[in-house]
Amino acid sequence: MQKIEKMVATQRYGHIWDCCCDHGLLGCALLNRQASNIVSDIHFVDIVPELMAELEIKLQRFYSSSSNEVIIKNWKTHCLDVAKLPLDQYDGKHLVIIAGVGGDLMIKFIEAINKQHHNLAIDFLLCPVHHQFSLRSKLIELDFSLKDEVLVEENQRFYEVLLVSSSSAAEGKGNNKISPVGNKIWQSDSIKVSLSQAEIVDKYLNKTLNHYQRMQKGLQQSNKQDNQQTKTNNANVDVQHIIDAYRAVTLASLVS
């Protein structure tokens, strides 16, 4: 969460949407930063009514009597599906934060938001818990561009955090193309990052490769079965191209 906070602080947004916000920890942390000269409206979004009712009470308790009037005015709760964010009802630049869910669900949200608000340039800050390759592939298909990306290890789990824009890299402004396996997250030379971060990068790459290699082995064993229907289904989920992509990272980015 601290890494996400820092990435948000480097940009200027009129509205920040903390989606799937659960208990609102991230949004509250962003509200607490509003004493700085960067002021955004923070929108808390979750589809669970009970959670949003509890969060509304908490926000009223802690921020309605704040000495900082900016904080009092600059938050709002929304009990709705992330795919239906009312972005066009608010003027200014939007940042949509989606964290703590799988890349497959993120894809559904992003496709729906992008289709509904195709006329808006929207930034997305994404932290998927799995299916990172599929998510990145969809962002590439949608012609999104990369603004920043980092790799974080927390409680022995790894997280890719991506800051992307619905504006394409071809539109300039320093935006770059998105890689299906990541680019900046693998920069592990001693000049750019600490030794500990280099170790995190190495562990994550090995873990990711081992995961897909086990998956591929399971598919190959399943394909040996006589049932032709099983062969057909598994042929559609072959992951060798993913393995090859991550192996290329080892050759291109981690070897000095």
Side-chain angles (χ1 to χ4, degrees), residues 174-239:
N175 293 345
N176 300 307
K177 291 184 178 181
I178 298 170
S179 164
V181 295
N183 186 4
K184 187 177 177 181
I185 62 172
W186 307 115
Q187 294 177 358
S188 61
D189 60 270
S190 58
I191 297 176
K192 295 179 179 177
V193 298
S194 66
L195 176 62
S196 60
Q197 184 66 20
E199 292 171 345
I200 290 172
V201 167
D202 189 51
K203 286 193 294 184
Y204 180 57
L205 181 60
N206 287 330
K207 182 178 179 179
T208 303
L209 270 171
N210 289 336
H211 165 72
Y212 283 111
Q213 286 169 343
R214 288 194 302 270
M215 183 183 297
Q216 184 74 337
K217 184 177 180 180
L219 292 172
Q220 290 172 345
Q221 291 175 344
S222 181
N223 281 337
K224 291 179 181 178
Q225 297 177 3
D226 294 333
N227 189 311
Q228 184 62 41
Q229 184 63 40
T230 302
K231 291 181 181 179
T232 302
N233 289 341
N234 283 321
N236 293 328
V237 291
D238 182 88
V239 296

Side-chain angles (χ1 to χ4, degrees), residues 50-159:
E50 294 81 7
L51 279 176
M52 297 312 296
E54 292 176 8
L55 180 57
E56 177 78 24
I57 293 172
K58 183 175 77 171
L59 292 169
Q60 290 286 356
R61 181 189 306 144
F62 288 103
Y63 297 110
S64 62
S65 60
S66 171
S67 60
N68 189 333
E69 288 195 14
V70 170
I71 293 180
I72 296 175
K73 297 177 181 178
N74 286 47
W75 63 266
K76 184 177 179 61
T77 59
H78 305 263
C79 185
L80 50 76
D81 187 339
V82 174
K84 300 178 181 179
L85 296 182
L87 303 185
D88 53 0
Q89 296 180 18
Y90 300 89
D91 294 330
K93 187 175 181 180
H94 295 274
L95 172 67
V96 176
I97 302 175
I98 312 176
V101 299
D104 49 350
L105 183 56
M106 285 186 184
I107 288 172
K108 294 179 181 179
F109 290 153
I110 293 167
E111 284 187 310
I113 294 170
N114 190 55
K115 182 177 181 180
Q116 182 180 356
H117 304 288
H118 61 274
N119 59 317
L120 299 179
I122 306 167
D123 283 0
F124 292 84
L125 188 51
L126 310 171
C127 183
V129 295
H130 49 65
H131 294 158
Q132 291 87 348
F133 189 92
S134 298
L135 173 62
R136 286 173 172 275
S137 297
K138 175 55 66 173
L139 295 174
I140 293 170
E141 179 184 323
L142 292 172
D143 198 26
F144 278 27
S145 59
L146 179 72
K147 303 186 78 171
D148 198 6
E149 61 180 1
V150 295
L151 178 65
V152 179
E153 183 183 24
E154 184 177 81
N155 297 326
Q156 297 183 332
R157 296 194 64 178
F158 298 95
Y159 301 94

